Amino acid sequence: MSEKKVALVTGGGRGIGAACVKELAARGFRVGIHYRSSGEAAETLLAAIGDGFLLRADLGDIAQVDALVEGLKAETDRLDVLVNNAGVSIDTDMQRMRIEQFDEQRAAVRGAWYLTKRVLRQFMMRADSGRIVNISSVVGHTGNGGQIPYTMEKAALDALTRSLARELKGRSILVNSVAPGFIATEMTAQLPEAVQAGILAGVPLGRMGRPEEVAEVVGFLAESGSYITGSVIHVNGGLYGG
């Protein structure tokens, strides 16, 4: 088995995912960058970190997840850390959302579940070692109007975290969630100024978080926190205490 530890970050081409890639690379990991549509950004990021590889897949398509795992096996004989960051956000109210939109949102958590299942069997169970970090959200705990399927997806990731940690009892595989609050990304930049101001009014620290501040916690869970599993760690500037 190769000596250098390996991590895979889904949705790693931009935003919080890209920050996680940089953080893990800085900690000495060889990092796999998964992307679906942000290929150019992923290639630029790979060039910046130096030691890593790219994997493209639509995680909502089970056949593509299987192909991703085959690509991962071709790149490495180990996987020490899986960061389930990829997701979609289809924002509309309950009455306007179509069943097709709901199913697309639901496919995101199914993809995270299936990739985790495959990675556990192929790498972590064999090594009896590994770290799984699920990126959920504060809205999975507080709720948010106009985002019912998204909040359901994020709450499901936290439920996966808690249940899988118990299922892996006795093994050296740790499973945790990091639940960001309102982070300065491309998605939040699209919010109207009045909406952003309303959000900030409820944040005790009085500002949006930075993707790097979420990534720092992911990096800690990837390397340290040896007595932390089944936990949801909130990174939200005091917006919600958990």
Side-chain angles (χ1 to χ4, degrees), residues 43 84 94 99 126 151 158 186 216 223 241:
E43 289 177 2
N84 282 313
M94 184 81 158
I99 190 67
R126 293 178 180 181
T151 60
D158 287 338
E186 293 177 12
E216 287 173 359
E223 280 196 310

Side-chain angles (χ1 to χ4, degrees), residues 20-51:
C20 290
V21 168
K22 293 175 184 177
E23 176 71 23
L24 292 168
R27 289 173 178 263
F29 285 85
R30 182 172 186 238
V31 186
I33 306 169
H34 157 266
Y35 69 96
R36 182 183 66 171
S37 57
S38 56
E40 186 175 341
E43 289 177 2
T44 300
L45 180 58
L46 177 60
I49 66 169
D51 191 6

Side-chain angles (χ1 to χ4, degrees), residues 207-240:
R207 64 173 176 84
M208 294 279 191
R210 300 188 303 274
E212 294 77 13
E213 292 174 308
V214 179
E216 287 173 359
V217 179
V218 173
F220 168 78
L221 292 173
E223 280 196 310
S224 305
S226 58
Y227 199 58
I228 302 174
T229 193
S231 294
V232 179
I233 299 177
H234 291 273
V235 184
N236 57 44
L239 177 64
Y240 176 78

Side-chain angles (χ1 to χ4, degrees), residues 190-206:
Q190 296 174 8
L191 295 172
E193 288 187 10
V195 174
Q196 293 191 38
I199 292 169
L200 292 178
V203 179
L205 287 185

Side-chain angles (χ1 to χ4, degrees), residues 11-145:
R14 56 191 178 186
I16 291 173
C20 290
V21 168
K22 293 175 184 177
E23 176 71 23
L24 292 168
R27 289 173 178 263
F29 285 85
R30 182 172 186 238
V31 186
I33 306 169
H34 157 266
Y35 69 96
R36 182 183 66 171
S37 57
S38 56
E40 186 175 341
E43 289 177 2
T44 300
L45 180 58
L46 177 60
I49 66 169
D51 191 6
F53 52 93
L54 300 178
L55 293 169
R56 182 186 180 281
D58 179 350
L59 299 183
D61 183 329
I62 295 302
Q64 291 193 41
V65 177
D66 285 331
L68 183 152
V69 174
E70 291 304 310
L72 186 58
K73 287 163 58 179
E75 287 285 349
T76 180
D77 60 355
R78 66 186 295 169
L79 187 68
D80 302 274
V81 177
L82 170 64
V83 181
N84 282 313
N85 168 73
V88 296
S89 178
I90 303 172
D91 299 343
T92 186
D93 63 61
M94 184 81 158
Q95 298 304 318
R96 290 185 176 88
M97 177 163 276
R98 303 188 311 274
I99 190 67
E100 295 83 5
Q101 292 175 303
F102 182 91
D103 287 343
E104 182 180 350
Q105 187 78 69
R106 183 179 62 176
V109 72
R110 183 185 65 176
W113 164 80
Y114 187 63
L115 178 59
T116 301
K117 173 185 173 71
R118 289 296 315 274
V119 161
L120 277 169
R121 175 171 292 183
Q122 182 63 43
F123 298 100
M124 295 182 180
M125 298 286 278
R126 293 178 180 181
D128 192 23
S129 177
R131 308 287 177 94
I132 298 167
V133 183
N134 297 315
I135 306 299
S136 58
S137 173
V138 65
V139 298
H141 299 259
T142 64
N144 199 34

Side-chain angles (χ1 to χ4, degrees), residues 136-179:
S136 58
S137 173
V138 65
V139 298
H141 299 259
T142 64
N144 199 34
Q147 287 191 312
I148 289 176
Y150 179 74
T151 60
M152 291 170 66
E153 173 199 335
K154 294 304 185 180
L157 282 175
D158 287 338
L160 170 64
T161 290
R162 296 185 179 102
S163 296
L164 184 57
R166 290 180 175 273
E167 197 168 296
L168 294 170
K169 177 182 178 181
R171 292 187 175 274
S172 299
I173 304 171
L174 309 181
V175 190
N176 292 289
S177 286
V178 176

